[in-house]
Amino acid sequence: MSKILKIALVGNPNTGKTSLFNQLTGLNQKVGNYPGITVDKKQGVCHLSDSVKAIITDLPGTYSINSTSADEDIVYNTLVDESNPDFPDVVVVVAEVENLKRNLFLFTQIKDLGIPTVLVINMADQMSRKGITINVSGLETDLDTKVLLVSARKKTGIASLKQVLLHYKDLNNKSLADISQRIDGHFFKRIKEALPQFSIYKSWLLITQKETNTFISPEEQKVISFFREKPDKIKKFQHKEAIFRYQVINEILKKNYTVDRKSGTDLRGRLDRILTHKIFGYVFFALILMIIFQSVFSWASIPMEWIDQSFSQLASYVQQQLPAGKFTDLIVEGVIPGIGGVLIFVPQIAILFLFVALLEETGYMSRVVFLMDKIMRKYGMSGKSVIPLVSGTACAIPAIMSSRNIESWRERLITILVVPFTTCSARIPVYAILISLIIPDKHYLGVFNLQGLTLLALYALGFVAAISSAYLLNKVLKIKSKSFFVIELPNYKIPSPKNIGITVLEKTKAFVLGAGRIILAISIVLWFLASNGGTDYTQAEQIVKKEYANTTLTPSELQTKIASYRIAHSYIGKIGKSIEPAIRPLGYDWKVGIALISSFAAREVFVGTLATIYSVEDSGNNTATIKERMQNEVDSVTGQKRFSFATGMSLLMFYAFAMQCMGTLATVKRETNSWKWPVLQLLGMGSLAYMVALITFQLLK
């Protein structure tokens, strides 16, 4: 490759920017974090020709370059700081055909920075249905740039966009709107004289947007600070700028953009009247949730059983093929059961992500946020809090980070503190295995599965716990603040199979790799602790034979007694026995206690931990599945099944209320910049989980 081109995709939320990014990059993309912060950074590779490769950065959705949130900071820093490694050679501003006026505000700002800019009007396939007509050539003349009509969903206009990007140097990078003369010519003349090294609009952004800009010199910062001495004047000029930009945009659109609603065939209004109705909206949302959780169990049952059986057979096969020894024991009893404990739940995780992606792609998720704002207000939050709460069903860590767009610190803090109550995907393995053990696989009315209804009830319980906690915090926290709620309801869209596929693949892969690394490490540590011990462990065979010298035991029964004695006196057994008195009232033994502790690293580790412990204890039977081992486990005190209905419900309640994982705690500390809130979170949720689990077991036993 002789040339690498840097391209930035910029646009308002819900303009189809991510769909265009997926069309350009396909699977040649990666997601990381921007240095020093936890906002996602999406980049991908697109081959524009045989000799030109483009690195495309999908910047966070924003309505302007004005920096008021972490996401907008990313856009600001990328486009204003020319030393930024992602500073683009060319910017693609993605607009949406029905909201062109609002989208063009951001376009005019970027154009005034002097960066070569292309305007892509997405969803062009909907123009006739919306009764919209666009004079593209007139728009190109008035905006002084290249304008393309594109449909990312139908893959039209993509080839033309690539050709324009190849010849980006032909684009005019002159300023579109001379704000200096329209606001205050004398003031901006002084700015130009004081900062001649910058364009007039870049200087204006440096003055108005951030207290400090790390990419400029201390001398330049002093000059900028001088112009900030009259904040009221600056704010007045910002208002004038916004008015002027919309005046320019209105004049351009008046000549080149027409809408004849009578010729359109839009069903959006009729659908919104139902989906955002004060009664039917909630009913429809409840039905959607019921369908999702029914599917999580019904559709995933066959592949889950196949994965479970496959890993059991793999363990047996490996044991037969490898020579006996510690290494073989590690693979058979530690690594394989641990990894199997993650992969068995991939079908359920993928199905959940599939439905969430469908809801987002169709535009329905924004209606849910709008609908729930009425409820959230009563509990000290806003409709924007619904986004973190809904995102928490995938993972609490990005959900907590997504609360950054909540302007009110009070509402944001309450949201951060209650998000961990929502049921994340890491809890699904725990819920799924326990539900399958204690809840019958029965159907009612031929449709409703009892196990699916139980999972739905657990999700509902998490949400109720979240808003109830928010209500209490709203009464306790004495932080005064004001906020308002604004959300865009995007057009309904037919989901793109490609976008859905990439989303499900990426999120499932992130779950498997993220959990897999933790579980593999913990499985190895647990295997070592369960396979080694002191004198009682090494002399287990002699001690057991002596104890049962007068009892007739079959060879199989004797080996089972020896294995049970050995693991009880291993290092992990001693650790578990030390905490057993505290958890015995909840119905748990030391093995479950070890699983509880290890799952603080990641909730899904619970199943993998038990799989490793039971595999070491029952090393002679590697054909048994994880579920079968848990079903066969017996309480040594009562002689009853370990995972009875009472114990299973107690565990479900514990995981419904307990703090999710140490990663979540670290994120809360980072977002609140204090250990006070995560420590209170850990102690409060931990105490609540213990008490609810205790009451549940004592009532049901």
Side-chain angles (χ1 to χ4, degrees):
M1 292 292 176
S2 60
K3 173 70 175 174
I4 296 179
L5 189 63
K6 289 189 287 186
I7 301 172
L9 284 188
V10 187
N12 295 177
N14 300 312
T15 56
K17 182 167 56 68
T18 300
S19 297
L20 181 62
F21 176 75
N22 288 338
Q23 289 294 351
L24 290 170
T25 62
L27 294 175
N28 298 316
Q29 56 181 256
K30 60 180 180 179
V31 179
N33 285 335
Y34 286 94
I37 56 175
T38 46
V39 175
D40 279 349
K41 177 180 183 178
K42 290 182 69 176
Q43 284 189 320
V45 176
C46 176
H47 296 280
L48 299 178
S49 70
D50 293 337
S51 60
V52 180
K53 178 174 74 171
I55 304 298
I56 301 178
T57 303
D58 184 12
L59 294 176
T62 181
Y63 292 102
S64 71
I65 305 180
N66 302 332
S67 178
T68 59
S69 69
D71 284 351
E72 290 171 347
D73 275 350
I74 297 299
V75 179
Y76 173 87
N77 290 330
T78 303
L79 300 181
V80 177
D81 178 11
E82 295 184 24
S83 65
N84 190 305
D86 295 324
F87 182 79
D89 297 304
V90 58
V91 175
V92 176
V93 176
V94 184
E96 190 259 312
V97 70
E98 197 174 12
N99 295 294
L100 200 53
K101 178 180 176 180
R102 189 193 60 233
N103 298 161
L104 285 178
F105 186 91
L106 175 63
F107 169 84
T108 62
Q109 287 186 304
I110 297 173
K111 190 77 166 61
D112 286 353
L113 280 172
I115 306 172
T117 306
V118 180
L119 177 64
V120 167
I121 302 177
N122 193 21
M123 307 178 196
D125 57 304
Q126 300 181 23
M127 287 172 59
S128 59
R129 189 163 61 87
K130 304 286 185 183
I132 296 173
T133 304
I134 297 176
N135 178 5
V136 176
S137 60
L139 206 56
E140 287 183 334
T141 301
D142 291 337
L143 293 177
D144 201 11
T145 192
K146 195 68 179 175
V147 178
L148 295 104
L149 297 180
V150 168
S151 173
R153 186 172 64 88
K154 293 194 173 182
K155 305 179 184 178
T156 59
I158 305 298
S160 299
L161 174 59
K162 290 182 179 180
Q163 287 301 309
V164 170
L165 294 174
L166 271 173
H167 302 93
Y168 76 95
K169 289 186 178 179
D170 297 336
L171 297 170
N172 191 336
N173 59 354
K174 292 182 180 178
S175 175
L176 179 66
D178 184 5
I179 64 168
S180 61
Q181 295 303 314
R182 296 300 296 265
I183 297 176
D184 189 312
H186 177 68
F187 179 78
F188 278 89
K189 182 181 178 182
R190 290 169 56 205
I191 293 176
K192 185 63 179 176
E193 291 172 351
L195 298 167
Q197 65 273 39
F198 300 134
S199 69
I200 192 69
Y201 190 61
K202 180 174 178 177
S203 299
W204 174 240
L205 288 176
L206 292 173
I207 293 168
T208 58
Q209 297 310 311
K210 298 179 74 174
E211 286 298 321
T212 57
N213 293 278
T214 57
F215 52 85
I216 63 175
S217 68
E219 291 75 18
E220 291 167 338
Q221 186 64 50
K222 286 181 181 178
V223 174
I224 289 168
S225 298
F226 170 77
F227 283 101
R228 288 182 178 151
E229 289 181 355
K230 295 183 178 180
D232 292 340
K233 185 177 182 179
I234 295 294
K235 185 175 290 187
K236 179 182 177 181
F237 285 172
Q238 284 182 296
H239 290 161
K240 282 188 174 183
E241 177 195 351
I243 292 170
F244 171 60
R245 288 193 183 280
Y246 276 119
Q247 286 174 343
V248 172
I249 293 167
N250 286 337
E251 287 299 317
I252 293 173
L253 292 183
K254 191 182 295 182
K255 295 186 291 181
N256 303 295
Y257 181 85
T258 57
V259 180
D260 182 6
R261 292 295 183 187
K262 294 180 181 178
S263 64
T265 57
D266 196 355
L267 295 175
R268 170 178 168 173
R270 279 176 278 179
L271 285 173
D272 278 346
R273 279 195 291 273
I274 298 172
L275 299 182
T276 61
H277 191 272
K278 61 182 181 181
I279 297 175
F280 298 121
Y282 296 107
V283 173
F284 187 82
F285 183 44
L287 289 174
I288 291 289
L289 291 178
M290 190 173 294
I291 291 171
I292 290 174
F293 297 119
Q294 293 294 314
S295 303
V296 164
F297 269 92
S298 300
W299 296 359
S301 58
I302 294 176
M304 286 180 68
E305 290 175 6
W306 179 82
I307 292 171
D308 203 3
Q309 291 287 346
S310 296
F311 271 88
S312 299
Q313 293 169 5
L314 177 63
S316 179
Y317 175 79
V318 170
Q319 188 175 45
Q320 293 171 7
Q321 297 300 314
L322 295 180
K326 287 291 185 181
F327 178 75
T328 300
D329 291 344
L330 169 62
I331 300 298
V332 173
E333 300 170 1
V335 175
I336 293 177
I339 295 176
V342 178
L343 295 184
I344 187 177
F345 301 104
V346 165
Q348 290 182 322
I349 299 295
I351 290 170
L352 180 63
F353 286 147
L354 170 65
F355 276 102
V356 172
L358 283 170
L359 295 179
E360 290 176 345
E361 275 279 309
T362 56
Y364 177 66
M365 191 63 80
S366 296
R367 271 78 186 172
V368 173
V369 173
F370 171 77
L371 190 69
M372 298 304 293
D373 179 61
K374 301 169 186 175
I375 295 177
M376 295 294 102
R377 290 286 171 187
K378 300 176 182 178
Y379 299 95
M381 297 183 285
S382 74
K384 289 184 178 181
S385 301
V386 174
I387 297 175
L389 290 174
V390 172
S391 301
T393 59
C395 179
I397 293 172
I400 289 171
M401 292 188 296
S402 70
S403 67
R404 290 174 177 174
N405 63 2
I406 301 174
E407 292 83 0
S408 164
W409 166 242
R410 188 172 187 277
E411 292 177 358
R412 184 181 171 209
L413 178 61
I414 292 175
T415 303
I416 288 172
L417 294 178
V418 304
V419 158
F421 280 113
T422 58
T423 298
C424 66
S425 58
R427 282 174 169 142
I428 290 183
V430 182
Y431 286 172
I433 196 73
L434 291 173
I435 288 172
S436 66
L437 288 172
I438 66 172
I439 304 297
D441 186 12
K442 292 183 178 180
H443 286 77
Y444 297 97
L445 302 176
V447 177
F448 300 109
N449 179 276
L450 185 57
Q451 294 180 338
L453 291 174
T454 304
L455 183 61
L456 174 60
L458 287 167
Y459 269 79
L461 178 63
F463 184 75
V464 169
I467 61 173
S468 299
S469 301
Y471 180 80
L472 292 175
L473 289 170
N474 189 36
K475 298 293 184 183
V476 172
L477 293 176
K478 303 300 181 184
I479 304 174
K480 292 184 178 181
S481 64
K482 293 182 179 180
S483 68
F484 56 90
F485 174 64
V486 178
I487 187 171
E488 176 191 352
L489 296 183
N491 289 317
Y492 294 102
K493 295 179 291 184
I494 298 175
S496 164
K498 182 175 183 178
N499 288 348
I500 296 292
I502 290 175
T503 299
V504 173
L505 178 63
E506 289 298 321
K507 290 190 180 246
T508 304
K509 185 171 69 174
F511 170 82
V512 171
L513 295 179
R517 285 194 294 266
I518 297 172
I519 289 175
L520 183 60
I522 290 178
S523 295
I524 293 172
V525 172
L526 290 174
W527 172 84
F528 175 81
L529 294 175
S531 301
N532 294 276
T535 304
D536 288 344
Y537 177 89
T538 56
Q539 297 179 2
E541 186 172 353
Q542 299 93 305
I543 294 172
V544 171
K545 284 182 177 180
K546 182 178 179 180
E547 182 179 350
Y548 292 95
N550 298 323
T551 305
T552 303
L553 296 174
T554 65
S556 176
E557 290 173 335
L558 179 61
Q559 288 303 314
T560 299
K561 295 289 186 183
I562 293 171
S564 297
Y565 185 89
R566 185 174 283 139
I567 197 168
H569 291 81
S570 65
Y571 293 132
I572 199 171
K574 291 180 179 179
I575 295 172
K577 294 285 186 181
S578 67
I579 65 172
E580 192 173 42
I583 59 175
R584 174 61 72 173
L586 279 65
Y588 315 152
D589 64 357
W590 67 268
K591 300 171 194 174
V592 176
I594 293 296
L596 287 178
I597 294 173
S598 61
S599 69
F600 186 61
R603 283 295 177 235
E604 55 271 51
V605 173
F606 174 82
V607 180
T609 299
L610 289 179
T612 300
I613 294 174
Y614 294 157
S615 294
V616 173
E617 186 176 20
D618 193 18
S619 57
N621 181 22
N622 287 309
T623 60
T625 65
I626 297 171
K627 184 177 177 180
E628 288 171 345
R629 284 192 167 110
M630 293 180 72
Q631 282 178 326
N632 297 332
E633 182 70 6
V634 175
D635 187 334
S636 59
V637 176
T638 64
Q640 303 295 317
K641 284 189 174 183
R642 159 59 54 212
F643 295 97
S644 63
F645 180 74
T647 302
M649 288 301 299
S650 175
L651 277 167
L652 288 175
M653 292 300 101
F654 182 88
Y655 277 106
F657 293 102
M659 186 66 187
Q660 290 187 355
C661 61
M662 57 186 179
T664 304
L665 277 178
T667 304
V668 174
K669 190 271 175 187
R670 183 169 188 170
E671 293 300 308
T672 61
N673 198 30
S674 168
W675 277 111
K676 170 186 174 182
W677 301 112
V679 169
L680 287 175
Q681 226 176 359
L682 177 63
L683 295 176
M685 295 182 69
S687 301
L688 178 63
Y690 186 92
M691 292 305 300
V692 173
L694 174 65
I695 293 169
T696 300
F697 179 74
Q698 295 299 327
L699 288 177
L700 296 178
K701 70 175 182 178

